[in-house]
Amino acid sequence: MRVATTTVRAVNGLTARWAGASEGGTVFSAAAVWPLLAHLADGAGGPARAELTEALGLDAGQASAAAREVLTAMNAMRGLDTALGLWTQRTLELKEQWRQSLPADAHGVLTGDVATDRRALDAWAAKRTDGLIDRMPVGLTRDTHLVLASALTLRTRWLSPFDETELETAYEPWATTPRLGLQRSSAVLDRVAVADTPGGHVTELKVLGNNALDVHLLLGDEGMEPGQVLQAGVDILAGRHAVVPGPRLPYGHAGPGLRVEKVRNTRPEPPSLDVTTAAYDMTARHDLLLMHRLFGLTTARDTSRGHFPGISDFPLAVGSAQQHTTATFNALGFEAASVTAFGAVGGALPDLRYVTTRISATYDRPFGFLALHRHTRLVLTAGWVTDPLPSPHDDGHDEP
């Protein structure tokens, strides 16, 4: 399950750049896009190859092998399912070397009947994501000669589950409607840390899954942009920022949403990390061609000529590139799914004699998250939470 450090950095680098280009609440998976871009780069020529190479952060000559490496590694991760699919019209002849770089069972056929092909592609998306995504995100027409797609589904259950509660917050957009909060307490203080980044301070909270798939919650100083916070999260993973872990935090306000204090007790108690956050269930759709420079698709989308001589002698251009992604964070665990497709077209006072340390981490305003594999630090899904789930205890009526 080994993934080269250069590959992890390349995939996470795309995550950071995508975050920087995002606005508002969103969820996305660069890990689902990167292998597709790598295979396209392997078959591209001219300016399209150069642009895809820059977007990948890796030489196009190494891209195909790196894509196979990362897909193989992800398939070996517990709780993570990935798949890659290729569909072509029967009349499209592929270069054998490029076709063999894809999984042996990946190749399907486009009939040319849009309705029939749509049903087949949608069925693949639903099957590969256990029904979390039921439609292939591709602009399918009679002129679509090739579809290259990936699917990614991850599930984990928390080692320490949360308790559900109503989120108490002064952040007005959330306070107007009761939100579903999650709380838990732990004696493991190093699950939280504060990083000093060029854009401001960021509090990182690690929520560990039972299968080495974790979610890192990221809260930045007020005024920091979503892209700055998520970029900081990726940089923390790479060790680019100085980080102060929980046991070494100073007393008082120690970071965004973070307070450390001495607490008196009637009996000896270990230090505690008390966490409050918001549950969320998110869905986002992305048209990658609207961010063509980010993904190296500026030249490749020009349909007046072909850009992929390593894929086929038939002139191909990228006519559609989309991703649908979902993410759910609740009391028991986390799940996310992503399908990405490229279409080529044409009481009383006690005796308080004991003192202990309590760290309170509160995520009660918009925050970011990275879902990642603990050992490789490969980011699988990322997002920015602006609209948490409503409290199920709120019936919309005031008490009499």
Side-chain angles (χ1 to χ4, degrees), residues 329-340:
F329 185 109
N330 58 33
L332 300 179
F334 178 86
E335 70 176 14
S338 179
V339 174
T340 310

Side-chain angles (χ1 to χ4, degrees), residues 151-171:
L152 181 153
T153 307
L154 69 94
R155 288 187 172 93
T156 191
R157 292 180 70 85
W158 307 135
L159 289 175
S160 299
F162 291 84
D163 294 320
E164 293 186 349
T165 185
E166 187 172 301
L167 182 69
E168 295 182 5
T169 176
Y171 180 68

